[in-house]
Amino acid sequence: MFFNSIKKFKVDDRLKHIAFIMDGNGRWAKARSLPRQVGHKYGAKAFEETVKNCHAFGIKIVTVYAFSTENWSRPENEVNAIMELLNTYIDRAKEQKDIRFVFIGDKSVLSQELRDKMIELEESTLLYDNVLNIAFNYGGRAEIISACNSLICEGVKEVNEKDISSHLYTSHCPDPDLIVRTASEYRLSNFLLWQCAYSEFYFTSVLWPDFNKKQLYKAIKSFYKRKRRFGGLIKGEE
C-alpha cells in the first residue's frame, strides 16, 4: 500500500526546487570494509536514481552538492575517483533528452578537457524543462564573492538582493524550497548560503548510497507538513 502511494504521488507548485547534500559515501564504504572510492561509486548510483525519482514526482529543479571547494584536501586517489565518476557520468548524460544540465561552481581549476565537456553538455541541453544543477568545485561564500565582483566589474555602485541573486550561479532558477542532508549531519557545509534563506530543511540518518525512492518520499511528505511563512503570517493566524 505504501509503495502504491509513492507510485501515484505528485508534487504541486509549493515544491519546485529540491537540493541535496549527499553525505555519507565514505562511511557507507567503511562500514563494509571497502575503499572510500567504492562508496562514491554507489553514491553516484543513488544520485542518478534520486534525480530520476524527483522528476518522476514532478519536481522540475534538482541541485546536488557533488564536490566542494574544500574537498580537494581529501586523499588524491579519492579525488581522482570522483573526477572519473564525473567524466563517465557526463559521457552518459549526453543521451538524456529531458534534462537541462548546469554545473555550478568554479570551473577554472578543472582540466580543460573536463571544462569543455561540462560546457558542451550545458549548451546541448539548454532548452529542456527539467533542470539538474551539479555543484562541483562549489562554495557558497565563493559564489557570493564572485557575484559581488561581477557587479563591481559592471560598475554597479550600490547593490540590492535582486542584483546579487541575478549574478549567482543559480540565477537561472528559483531558490530551493527544500534542502535534504543525509548521514546525520546538521550543517550546510558552505552550500547555497544565499539561496537557502527561506528553504525548509530535512535531515536523515540514512547514508547517501542507501537513499532511495522511499527516503525521498519521506523527505517530501515532511516538507508538505511545514507552514512556510517567509517572515510573515499565514492567513487565519492573525
Side-chain angles (χ1 to χ4, degrees):
M1 194 70 175
F2 180 81
F3 286 99
N4 286 337
S5 63
I6 293 180
K7 188 175 181 180
K8 298 175 182 177
F9 185 75
K10 288 288 183 181
V11 302
D12 58 28
D13 286 343
R14 287 175 289 174
L15 182 52
K16 300 181 183 73
H17 184 178
I18 186 169
F20 296 92
I21 302 176
M22 307 181 293
D23 203 4
N25 291 338
R27 276 169 279 175
W28 184 92
K30 184 178 180 181
R32 291 160 176 77
S33 301
L34 297 169
R36 290 177 62 86
Q37 298 93 298
V38 176
H40 290 300
K41 183 177 180 180
Y42 279 87
K45 291 181 180 179
F47 147 68
E48 292 191 48
E49 283 300 310
T50 297
V51 172
K52 186 187 302 181
N53 290 331
C54 284
H55 291 155
F57 282 152
I59 302 169
K60 289 290 187 182
I61 306 166
V62 179
T63 300
V64 296
Y65 203 5
F67 192 85
S68 76
T69 50
E70 291 75 33
N71 286 156
W72 294 104
S73 63
R74 294 192 176 189
E76 185 178 359
N77 61 345
E78 183 177 352
V79 172
N80 289 340
I82 293 171
M83 294 296 169
E84 184 57 36
L85 283 169
L86 178 63
N87 261 298
T88 302
Y89 177 70
I90 291 176
D91 290 338
R92 287 189 289 102
K94 294 176 183 177
E95 306 302 318
Q96 294 279 355
K97 301 301 180 184
D98 60 347
I99 298 176
R100 176 186 176 186
F101 292 88
V102 182
F103 293 93
I104 63 173
D106 180 10
K107 297 185 183 77
S108 66
V109 301
L110 304 176
S111 70
Q112 185 64 53
E113 179 186 4
L114 184 54
R115 291 202 304 271
D116 289 344
K117 290 174 74 170
M118 287 176 162
I119 293 168
E120 180 185 357
L121 184 60
E122 288 177 326
E123 291 178 347
S124 65
T125 61
L126 188 61
L127 300 180
Y128 296 133
D129 290 333
N130 291 324
V131 177
L132 173 58
N133 299 313
I134 300 177
F136 203 88
N137 194 36
Y138 173 90
R141 289 181 175 179
E143 179 183 26
I144 296 169
I145 292 169
S146 175
C148 291
N149 283 332
S150 294
L151 288 162
I152 291 170
C153 289
E154 292 172 12
V156 177
K157 301 298 182 183
E158 185 175 340
V159 302
N160 55 38
E161 288 189 17
K162 186 176 179 181
D163 292 327
I164 293 176
S165 293
S166 67
H167 286 73
L168 295 175
Y169 299 134
T170 56
S171 60
H172 58 284
C173 64
D175 293 340
D177 301 296
L178 175 64
I179 296 179
V180 175
R181 180 160 192 163
T182 56
S184 296
E185 301 295 351
Y186 298 88
R187 56 181 177 270
L188 278 173
S189 298
N190 203 16
F191 183 55
L192 302 181
L193 298 182
W194 180 274
Q195 298 91 328
C196 76
Y198 286 102
S199 300
E200 298 294 327
F201 292 86
Y202 179 84
F203 300 101
T204 175
S205 61
V206 174
L207 301 177
W208 180 253
D210 292 327
F211 193 85
N212 55 26
K213 194 171 189 176
K214 180 179 178 180
Q215 299 300 328
L216 175 62
Y217 180 79
K218 286 182 177 179
I220 294 171
K221 293 297 284 185
S222 172
F223 170 82
Y224 278 109
K225 293 177 182 178
R226 318 283 178 88
K227 293 183 178 181
R228 305 186 74 195
R229 296 176 175 83
F230 298 97
L233 293 176
I234 297 173
K235 188 176 180 180
E237 289 186 335
E238 297 86 349

